[in-house]
């Protein structure tokens, strides 16, 4: 028989304060909004929130720029004109090569800038809102692109990359947070993973531009790809100015009337009662979190049940790097150094990015049926296997295994784009608490960037023919790191599919096991937690009101 637990003091306090703010029927209104979200079909969700979907799609397009640049620098190391400008001549056999030191520095430049930009964004978004933080960041980026375009030396190019990274750090943390806050539960998975699709679009565009400019002689051969970045900032600044602010952010700062207007602007066919119910649900959720999280600083992300949530978002995001993305996601340099013709290597990379686009689109269907946890755990296991196969092929076949290794890299990219790539954005945006979301998403992205710095350092030396020259054997290293994340995800990653933010708050407060999240039933308004019979156990609420 299922175990039923009495209401916690946290939920009782939230109920009382909600009624004081919005009237004696507010708790019932909030419960109705929660019930409506659970009962809502995909078509109903799109119809009632079509404007929210529209704005989320446009705001997430800022990620295209980051995806574009990440691919740009990594592929430039195989670009003849770039090698001549910023590299050294190593004789007839190796020709022009950018040294391992400068490969590491240029790869890490934008990453280091993104770390600083992301950390600043955590406070700026909380203080000034998502819209104005994004507008200012886009304006700054527009100016910094001049530095990388006209860079006369590797030193100046590095400075430009670091400064551009400040803005990319903002985009990478704001876009998924905004997407998760403007849409209901049944649309969150689609719109948070759409962020990864924007990455794929940016990378596909970059690879296409690079392939198209491959035959251009002189410095314009690599400067034109830099110049293409000017296409985005001004149109996106207009979009951000016109977009409504996140209603969750407005509720956090107690601007309820503005939050209500934002809900109306984001709605499609919602009635006045539905808008009021949704506002009541938001206030109730914020009050529950306020009782367990007194402040809203980075330090609070490491206190109480938020520590577990921070662990999940950080490790899940780091999993993108530890799954071998530095090696297999942009294999152009690997193939050219292994002996493949430069044009053929870029053709293969272009086809691979097209497959990444398809994989991300297909992931929407998988997420809606399978959820987050099975896809993440299974996907990481498959990526681990593929990386080990690439290493084995290099040891056993050498250059004869070059094209089969290329096929495995394309397969890796497809599996990644189907699972780990898009799911990480959904996990970091949905798992974090509402009150700490801007800060929590920033911490996850910072963890990603820090591990990426180490990855770029190692990858530059492992692949460079003038350094360690490991080539396909690099698959053994990244296969091992992917296996570690596979084990972690099995034991620590919970299923969050179909959960409202209130329900997630209660599950984390009660320290429910990651493998029991999908079996645990929660009613935030009846203030009870009911577990399936086979997992029956009493969950005691130990939180106390202030």
């Amino acid at each position: 028989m299922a175990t039923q637990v009495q209401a916690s003091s946290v939920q009782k306090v939230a109920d009382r304060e909600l009624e004081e703010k919005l009237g004696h029927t507010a708790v019932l209104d909030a419960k109705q909004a929660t019930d409506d979200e659970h009962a809502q079909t995909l078509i109903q969700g799109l119809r009632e929130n079509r404007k929210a979907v529209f704005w989320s799609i446009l705001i997430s397009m800022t990620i295209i720029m980051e995806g574009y640049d990440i691919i740009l620098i990594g592929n430039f190391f195989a670009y003849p004109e770039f090698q001549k400008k910023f590299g050294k001549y190593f004789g007839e056999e190796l020709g022009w090569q950018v040294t391992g030191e400068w490969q590491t520095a240029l790869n890490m430049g934008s990453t280091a800038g993104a770390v600083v930009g992301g950390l600043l964004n955590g406070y700026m978004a909380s203080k000034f809102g998502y819209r104005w933080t994004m507008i200012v960041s886009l304006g700054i980026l527009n100016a910094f692109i001049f530095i990388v375009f006209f860079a006369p030396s590797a030193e100046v190019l590095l400075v430009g990359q670091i400064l551009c990274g400040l803005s990319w750090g903002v985009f990478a943390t704001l876009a998924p947070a905004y997407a998760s806050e403007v849409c209901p539960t049944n649309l969150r998975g689609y719109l948070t993973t759409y962020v990864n699709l924007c990455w794929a679009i940016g990378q596909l565009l970059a690879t296409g531009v690079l392939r198209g400019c491959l035959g251009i002689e002189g410095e314009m051969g690599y400067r034109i790809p830099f110049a293409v970045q000017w296409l985005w900032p001004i149109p996106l600044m207009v979009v951000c100015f016109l977009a409504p602010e996140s209603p969750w952010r407005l509720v956090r700062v107690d601007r309820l009337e503005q939050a209500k207007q934002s809900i109306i602007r984001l709605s499609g066919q919602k009635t006045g009662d539905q808008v009021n119910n949704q506002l009541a649900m938001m206030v109730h959720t914020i009050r529950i979190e306020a009782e367990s999280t007194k402040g809203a600083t980075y330090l609070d992300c490491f206190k109480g049940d938020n520590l577990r949530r921070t662990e999940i978002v950080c490790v899940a995001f780091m999993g993108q790097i530890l799954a071998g993305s530095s090696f297999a996601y942009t294999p152009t340099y690997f193939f050219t150094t292994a002996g493949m013709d430069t044009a053929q290597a870029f053709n293969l990379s272009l086809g691979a990015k097209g497959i990444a686009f398809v994989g991300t689109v297909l992931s929407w269907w998988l997420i809606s049926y399978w959820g987050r946890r099975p896809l993440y755990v299974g996907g990481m296991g498959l990526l681990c296997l593929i990386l080990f196969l690439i290493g084995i092929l290099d040891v056993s076949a050498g250059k004869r295994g070059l094209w089969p290794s290329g096929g495995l890299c394309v397969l890796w990219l497809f599996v990644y784009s189907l699972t780990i790539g898009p799911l990480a954005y959904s996990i970091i945006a949905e798992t974090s608490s509402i009150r700490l979301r801007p800060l929590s998403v920033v911490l996850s992205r910072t963890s990603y960037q820090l591990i990426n710095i180490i990855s770029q350092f190692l990858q530059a030396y492992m692949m460079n023919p003038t350094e360690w020259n490991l080539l396909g054997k690099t698959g053994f290293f990244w296969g091992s790191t992917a296996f570690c994340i596979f084990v972690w995800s099995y034991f620590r990653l919970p299923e969050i599919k179909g959960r409202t933010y209130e329900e997630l708050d209660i599950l984390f407060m009660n320290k429910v096991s990651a493998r029991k999240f999908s079996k645990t039933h929660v009613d935030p308004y009846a203030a009870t937690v009911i577990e399936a019979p086979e997992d029956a156990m009493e969950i005691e609420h130990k939180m106390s009101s202030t």
Side-chain angles (χ1 to χ4, degrees), residues 173-436:
T173 50
L174 267 189
Y178 185 86
S180 70
E181 293 189 6
V182 298
C183 291
T185 304
N186 63 340
L187 296 181
R188 284 198 322 245
Y190 297 102
L191 292 172
T192 51
T193 54
Y194 168 75
V195 173
N196 189 73
L197 182 63
C198 290
W199 256 73
I201 292 171
Q203 292 161 347
L204 183 62
L205 286 173
T207 307
V209 171
L210 286 166
R211 181 64 184 89
C213 295
L214 195 59
I216 299 176
E217 297 183 1
E219 294 182 0
M220 291 307 293
Y222 68 84
R223 285 186 174 178
I224 289 175
F226 278 132
V228 171
Q229 294 177 96
W230 273 312
L231 293 175
W232 286 284
I234 292 179
L236 287 174
M237 288 173 74
V238 175
V239 167
C240 293
F241 180 78
L242 297 175
E245 183 59 80
S246 162
W248 285 100
R249 187 258 165 186
L250 294 170
V251 171
R252 282 197 294 267
V253 295
D254 209 28
R255 289 154 59 179
L256 301 187
E257 188 56 39
Q258 291 182 27
K260 183 177 180 179
Q261 293 304 315
S262 181
I263 294 171
I264 293 172
R265 286 194 62 195
L266 291 165
S267 302
Q269 296 180 354
K270 287 186 178 179
T271 65
D273 286 342
Q274 286 177 310
V275 171
N276 291 331
N277 294 349
Q278 188 173 345
L279 179 62
M281 180 186 67
M282 290 179 176
V283 174
H284 191 259
T285 303
I286 295 296
R287 290 312 309 158
I288 286 179
E289 292 186 0
E291 290 301 310
S292 63
T293 307
K294 301 302 178 185
T297 66
Y298 282 116
L299 187 60
D300 291 307
C301 294
F302 298 94
K303 294 180 179 178
D305 56 272
N306 285 306
L307 175 61
R308 182 185 176 193
R309 299 175 108 163
T310 301
E311 174 209 334
I312 291 168
V313 298
C314 289
V315 179
F317 217 162
M318 287 191 295
Q320 287 191 331
I321 299 297
L322 296 174
S325 61
S326 298
F327 168 59
Y329 204 106
T330 53
T332 309
Y333 185 65
F334 161 48
F335 291 129
T336 55
T337 53
M340 186 180 289
D341 178 71
T342 301
Q344 291 296 332
F346 275 96
N347 288 337
L348 180 63
S349 182
L350 182 60
K353 296 306 177 291
I355 289 175
F357 180 93
V358 174
T360 303
V361 173
L362 291 176
S363 74
W364 294 342
W365 179 79
L366 293 179
I367 287 172
S368 64
Y369 285 94
W370 285 13
R372 283 65 161 166
R373 175 182 160 86
L375 288 178
Y376 193 97
V377 176
M380 190 63 71
L382 281 174
L383 296 179
C384 172
L385 177 62
I386 293 170
L387 288 166
F388 277 120
L389 288 175
I390 292 173
I392 293 170
L393 200 58
D394 184 75
V395 172
S396 61
K399 287 192 176 183
R400 289 181 290 111
L402 194 58
W403 278 102
S405 294
L408 286 173
C409 282
V410 173
L411 177 60
W412 182 98
L413 185 55
F414 179 71
V415 174
Y416 177 92
S417 302
L418 202 61
T419 57
I420 307 302
L423 282 172
Y425 287 98
S426 177
I427 291 167
I428 66 164
E430 295 183 89
T431 306
S432 53
S433 68
I434 289 292
R435 280 175 61 83
L436 298 176

Side-chain angles (χ1 to χ4, degrees), residues 56 74 113 118 121 131 148 206 213 235 237 291 300 427 460 519 528:
S56 177
N121 169 60
R131 292 169 56 251
V148 296
C213 295
M237 288 173 74
E291 290 301 310
D300 291 307
I427 291 167
K519 302 174 184 177
T528 59

